[in-house]
Amino acid sequence: MDKLRRTLLKGAGGALVAALAAGVLIPTRVLAAEWNKSAFEAKDLASALKSLGASAAADSKDILFRAPDIAENGAVVPIDIVSNIPNTTSIAVLVEKNPNALAAYFDFANGAVPDVSVRLKLAQTSMVKAVVKADGKFYTVQKEVKVTVGGCGG
Amino acid sequence: MADPMKIRAQMKGEIADIRVLMSHPMDTGQVKDAKTGQIIPAHFIQQVNVSVGGKVVVEGQIGAAVSRNPVFGFKVKGAKAGDKVVVSWTDNKGDKRSDETVIA
């Protein structure tokens, strides 16, 4: 009995060492990885959405989207997004009138709540759009933010 | 190497509230230097990773539209006080930075 237990422990320990050596347990590569160049370099909203695969996103009331009505300084516009849609796995933020529409994209895992706050630059008054992915489907909500001083150069 | 991040992680009820302030110019590559008239090359953070207790919770990809010295707020369920929070970023020039704290 005792001997069996020892053998098992030894076996498990060996497997762990092997896994570590093979780099299997390096935690940073659990989720999707590469910077999505085509989506971030897309010049307009439609092609950015297409690169994300979110062209057919449906409007949803289950996304809380907090952004100022008027931003005095377009260089720092605070945005809060909370998704109440079950099984939300990612949230993207897009600014329609910016030179590159996609601003940020977040994937969530391991207990992270789909609730993110971020500060963005807005080139000019624009629609700001949140796109949420849940169960492989896309949902969206948008709001216009008026900018009095642009955030890109100004 | 960029300046250290400021990370604050606190339990609020059952949810850990994590806020991060990064120190980075976030140059878009579209602004001219006022003195020289030369375009300031793009230099911005592209990837942001947050892990709690050794598990990746948020993996973010960001563009140059994120403000200078980016501030992010995240919330995580199932974490507890004392868990280690590690935040790391990589920018478009390959610079990296990783800082950590524990949940209070």
Side-chain angles (χ1 to χ4, degrees), chain A residues 67-129:
Chain A
D69 295 325
I70 297 175
E72 283 182 18
N73 180 0
V76 183
V77 181
I79 311 271
D80 290 327
I81 301 163
V82 183
S83 168
N84 291 323
I85 302 170
N87 301 323
T88 295
T89 51
S90 62
I91 292 180
V93 197
L94 300 99
V95 183
E96 190 177 353
K97 297 277 180 63
N98 268 8
N100 303 113
L102 182 58
Y105 180 90
F106 299 96
D107 280 315
F108 303 97
N110 295 324
V113 182
D115 174 333
V116 67
S117 63
V118 59
R119 301 193 308 199
L120 300 181
K121 287 177 249 188
L122 264 61
Q124 54 180 299
T125 298
S126 171
M127 278 296 187
V128 180
K129 212 174 170 66

Side-chain angles (χ1 to χ4, degrees), chain A residues 27-29 31-36 40 75 99 103-105 107-113 115-121, chain B residues 19 26 28 30 44 46-47 54-67 69 71-77:
Chain A
T28 45
R29 289 278 67 92
L31 305 169
E34 288 293 297
W35 194 65
N36 193 337
F40 276 100
Y105 180 90
D107 280 315
F108 303 97
N110 295 324
V113 182
D115 174 333
V116 67
S117 63
V118 59
R119 301 193 308 199
L120 300 181
K121 287 177 249 188
Chain B
R19 296 194 71 85
M26 298 299 287
T28 59
Q30 309 201 15
F44 58 94
Q46 290 186 315
Q47 284 180 311
K55 286 191 285 190
V56 177
V57 289
V58 179
E59 198 165 73
Q61 302 178 30
I62 65 175
V66 171
S67 301
N69 297 335
V71 172
F72 297 102
F74 303 109
K75 291 190 169 66
V76 179
K77 257 186 205 162

